[in-house]
Amino acid sequence: MAKNDPPRIAVLGAGPIGLEAALYAKTLKLPVTIYERGRIGEHLHRWGHVRLFSPFGMNSTSLGRAAIKIDFPKHEFPGEADCITGREHITAYIDPLARTDVLKDCIRTDARITAIGRRGYLKEDGIGDAKRGAQPFRILVRDNNKEKLEEADVILDCTGTYSQHRWLGDGGIPAVGEGNCEKEIVYHLDDILGVRRSFYAGKTVLIVGGGYSAATTACNLATLAEEQTDTWITWLCRSAGSQPIKRLPNDTLKERDRLAMRANMLATRGDGGVEYHPQSVIDELEYGGPDKGFAVTARVAGKPKTFQADRLVANIGSTPDTSLYRELQIHECYASLGPMALAAALLKHGSADCLAIPTQGPAALKNPEPNFYILGSKSYGRNSNFLLRNGFEQVREVFSLIMGKADLDLYKKK
Ligand SMILES: Cc1cc2nc3c(=O)[nH]c(=O)nc-3n(C[C@H](O)[C@H](O)[C@H](O)COP(=O)(O)OP(=O)(O)OC[C@H]3O[C@@H](n4cnc5c(N)ncnc54)[C@H](O)[C@@H]3O)c2cc1C
């Protein structure tokens, strides 16, 4: 890059935050490429049947809506307070945004980033040396199955976490046998009441997990069991207590509270064919083929117990892919795997509701590696408290750093 050239920005991932970051960069007239390994909004497509807890007004920005309106003046947005599904959000916002003149030519789909390095510098070289930051990043891209090398001056890693599942075994490692039958286990949020109905109808399903994803699965299976009464659900959760989901007092996100309430009712009353076992940890699993299904050996309140199931759904959370930047100087949190400064700032908020957690300021986005930033849900690592609203704020903050203008704010009302 010549001295006065604007920095070339590489955005990794065309999820909601990658697209927003690219839009912000283009509005500032910076050269941008978005690399997306799947489709635009790939992860949203995968859980597209699920309703977002936060309303549309919180999941979109003034900048994005204005860009869409310029190219598609007749486009109608959902109401600010509407809670729509992931799929509806793609139609209402993500796809039109990606098709705007400002963004359409800078997005490359089927382009997977596999590794990133710094030209001329190994991980251990040039610690704190400004010369390291003056060298471009080297980006290895698998583009339509062909490997290529590209360069950028600034990297915004917005690759999310959704497609990297965690493991079922006690202590977070794979349960004995899990590696052998990984492909048979459903780790994501399946469309139980839609395209995957016949996979679950009339089956015995074992759900493992204690968060909102497991709650969604349990509620959808219970709805299915109302029609297909031979559907049976066993729900295993690590935590103690009679209710799997902690409800937040006066939760303003009504969709979320409704889900927690229904899931807790199913677990405690045994309604909807749900049998709930708290204090359960998994030791071993065996898959005997489509006819025999799974035998899952667990400890329930310390006592060994084996469960038989046709289907196994492991909604146990996801984890960031940190292998992309193994050769860079990224300070990772030893607990969350998020970038350290942000993770430390988030730690102060403990188990507070995500709505109550403010953005942590531009300094929290910095890494020892100059001009490399992790944004969006990946920036929270294993902490599942991320909200799109906070991601949009990160975008504003990161460009104030890149442009060296603390008060830069393209969202500010004029
Ligand atoms: C079921 C569910 C419901 C949610 N509901 C809400 C809600 O109501 N409100 C809210 O604010 N948040 C919600 N979230 C949290 C969060 O806002 C979403 O996860 C959101 O999709 C995060 O956006 P993102 O852009 O950071 O990452 P993602 O949407 O995860 O996008 C990452 C993109 O990067 C791509 N990618 C990954 N690896 C590579 C690679 N190596 N090379 C190139 N591309 C790559 C992926 O294909 C994907 O398209 C929810 C999350 C889930 C899972």
Side-chain angles (χ1 to χ4, degrees):
M1 181 181 67
K3 208 166 167 228
N4 293 321
D5 283 351
R8 294 162 296 175
I9 316 273
V11 175
L12 318 186
I17 302 306
L19 285 177
E20 182 70 21
L23 176 66
Y24 211 99
K26 287 289 284 215
T27 311
L28 293 169
K29 308 217 174 321
L30 300 174
V32 186
T33 306
I34 311 181
Y35 300 90
E36 166 55 54
R37 77 170 170 197
R39 296 164 286 181
I40 288 159
E42 177 63 42
H43 290 166
L44 253 81
H45 275 284
R46 294 192 196 176
W47 53 265
H49 57 286
V50 178
R51 196 165 292 283
L52 285 110
F53 298 142
S54 53
F56 182 73
M58 274 173 62
N59 308 334
S60 56
T61 67
S62 51
L63 204 61
R65 287 191 299 261
I68 293 169
K69 275 292 180 193
I70 290 172
D71 289 348
F72 311 107
K74 291 195 178 142
H75 183 79
E76 290 202 7
F77 293 112
E80 292 276 298
D82 289 355
C83 284
I84 57 178
T85 64
R87 215 171 276 144
E88 288 163 348
H89 189 66
I90 292 175
T91 309
Y93 190 68
I94 298 293
D95 270 354
L97 186 58
R99 285 189 284 112
T100 55
D101 282 345
V102 68
L103 284 187
K104 67 178 186 216
D105 294 331
C106 63
I107 306 176
R108 287 178 30 200
T109 50
D110 278 321
R112 180 192 185 123
I113 307 301
T114 55
I116 306 161
R118 200 45 117 163
R119 190 202 283 169
Y121 283 81
L122 301 178
K123 191 177 181 77
E124 63 273 32
D125 294 341
I127 300 168
D129 183 348
K131 284 189 200 140
R132 181 179 174 106
Q135 291 302 316
F137 290 104
R138 304 178 75 243
I139 308 172
L140 195 59
V141 192
R142 186 165 277 281
D143 197 338
N144 287 305
N145 270 337
K146 236 172 121 189
E147 229 167 45
K148 291 181 186 162
L149 193 71
E150 308 208 354
E151 284 192 349
D153 305 304
V154 174
I155 293 195
L156 306 179
D157 181 351
C158 311
T159 54
T161 64
Y162 187 71
S163 46
Q164 285 250 132
H165 71 76
R166 300 202 212 169
W167 295 98
L168 271 167
D170 189 6
I173 64 171
V176 175
E178 184 176 358
N180 292 337
C181 58
E182 186 186 0
K183 283 202 183 81
E184 310 302 331
I185 302 167
V186 176
Y187 292 95
H188 55 270
L189 272 159
D190 226 351
D191 190 0
I192 291 163
L193 297 174
V195 291
R196 297 275 284 168
R197 178 181 286 260
S198 63
F199 183 74
Y200 293 97
K203 303 293 181 195
T204 301
V205 187
L206 187 73
I207 310 171
V208 185
Y212 290 109
S213 293
T216 304
T217 299
C219 289
N220 288 343
L221 284 169
T223 302
L224 181 64
E226 284 166 17
E227 287 165 32
Q228 292 271 336
T229 47
D230 47 350
T231 310
W232 187 252
I233 305 135
T234 309
W235 186 358
L236 307 188
C237 185
R238 208 161 58 102
S239 60
S242 58
Q243 301 202 328
I245 310 295
K246 198 167 151 229
R247 275 181 70 201
L248 299 160
N250 306 318
D251 193 348
T252 50
L253 297 179
K254 292 298 166 212
E255 278 294 322
R256 179 172 67 180
D257 199 36
R258 248 191 292 276
L259 174 66
M261 236 164 37
R262 179 155 184 243
N264 286 343
M265 202 179 69
L266 290 168
T268 47
R269 290 211 202 142
D271 285 351
V274 178
E275 180 192 306
Y276 176 61
H277 297 275
Q279 285 183 276
S280 298
V281 287
I282 311 290
D283 285 324
E284 196 167 340
L285 20 133
E286 206 178 307
Y287 180 66
D291 300 337
K292 292 199 178 126
F294 293 91
V296 177
T297 309
R299 274 167 288 137
V300 180
K303 296 203 178 93
K305 191 169 166 69
T306 299
F307 298 90
Q308 300 291 333
D310 301 307
R311 310 285 181 242
L312 175 54
V313 182
N315 288 152
I316 47 180
S318 53
T319 186
D321 177 4
T322 57
S323 67
L324 293 183
Y325 41 73
R326 192 165 286 148
E327 281 305 313
L328 299 179
Q329 294 178 348
I330 306 300
H331 190 184
E332 284 168 9
C333 170
Y334 49 82
S336 73
L337 286 176
M340 190 63 218
L342 180 58
L346 288 172
L347 207 62
K348 286 201 298 260
H349 298 279
S351 59
D353 175 27
C354 50
L355 274 184
I357 301 175
T359 176
Q360 304 301 317
L365 298 175
K366 285 187 181 172
N367 251 296
E369 186 69 57
N371 298 323
F372 187 94
Y373 302 98
I374 302 167
L375 307 180
S377 50
K378 188 174 190 175
S379 70
Y380 276 44
R382 288 166 167 233
N383 179 333
S384 59
N385 264 339
F386 175 78
L387 277 181
L388 289 169
R389 186 177 69 174
N390 291 2
F392 300 143
E393 269 303 296
Q394 290 179 339
V395 170
R396 184 186 63 72
E397 289 167 354
V398 87
F399 282 97
S400 74
L401 292 173
I402 294 167
M403 303 303 278
K405 290 184 190 165
D407 59 349
L408 178 71
D409 184 357
L410 301 184
Y411 299 139
K412 201 154 57 193
K413 287 197 182 90
K414 296 195 179 106

